[in-house]
Amino acid sequence: MKRFVIFMLVFSFILHPVLAEYVELTLSYPSNVEKGEEVTITFEIINQSNERLWDGAIMIEESLMNKYKPYIQSDRDYQNNPFKVAIIEPGQSIKETFVLTFKEAIPLKEVKFNIVFKCGKGSCRGGCRPFYLEKPVSIALLEERAEAI
């Protein structure tokens, strides 16, 4: 019985700081879209931790953009000009939207990539330690079919 109580006490000390470290990245996007149509991917970063998030950048995974850049159209270059945020205070959130169009010539039936959030975390200016979070995106690309008359 003593071992169990000691174990629970130690476990609670370990678990408590982990719970306080929670930062959430939520995504909203269509599960499928026709090639050539505009796709809106809305993300929200919620700082539920006890620390500030500093100098954050939110971007689309580089490997997708490097490999399929000729097939992806957007008004903004999300790799060289990502969404940036100076500070997200504890309890605060930010919401923004990526807008992309996958051209009809893209050689994929489904596009899979990650939305990446990088920042510093902690009370130090710029963050005491680096923080990295990514969330997967999977969108089926449908081809427009000509209707038979």
Side-chain angles (χ1 to χ4, degrees), residues 64-100:
L64 173 83
M65 299 306 278
N66 290 341
K67 190 170 184 180
Y68 296 105
K69 191 168 184 99
Y71 304 104
I72 300 172
Q73 179 182 342
S74 67
D75 292 336
R76 182 176 182 158
D77 180 355
Y78 295 114
Q79 285 359 93
N80 297 319
N81 187 20
F83 290 110
K84 293 191 177 198
V85 59
I87 299 174
I88 304 175
E89 295 286 348
Q92 221 179 23
S93 67
I94 62 148
K95 195 172 193 175
E96 196 56 75
T97 302
F98 290 107
V99 179
L100 304 170

Side-chain angles (χ1 to χ4, degrees), residues 10-102:
V10 170
F11 185 72
S12 69
F13 282 115
I14 293 171
L15 187 59
H16 180 70
V18 171
L19 291 175
E21 295 293 315
Y22 193 61
V23 176
E24 185 177 359
L25 173 59
T26 61
L27 300 175
S28 173
Y29 59 90
S31 57
N32 55 52
V33 67
E34 283 189 19
K35 291 180 179 180
E37 282 186 7
E38 193 172 84
V39 179
T40 302
I41 303 169
T42 303
F43 64 86
E44 184 173 19
I45 298 169
I46 306 164
N47 184 3
Q48 297 175 348
S49 74
N50 296 327
E51 300 179 296
R52 285 181 173 162
L53 302 177
W54 298 85
D55 304 325
I58 304 100
M59 65 192 84
I60 295 172
E61 185 176 44
E62 285 184 51
S63 62
L64 173 83
M65 299 306 278
N66 290 341
K67 190 170 184 180
Y68 296 105
K69 191 168 184 99
Y71 304 104
I72 300 172
Q73 179 182 342
S74 67
D75 292 336
R76 182 176 182 158
D77 180 355
Y78 295 114
Q79 285 359 93
N80 297 319
N81 187 20
F83 290 110
K84 293 191 177 198
V85 59
I87 299 174
I88 304 175
E89 295 286 348
Q92 221 179 23
S93 67
I94 62 148
K95 195 172 193 175
E96 196 56 75
T97 302
F98 290 107
V99 179
L100 304 170
T101 302
F102 297 101

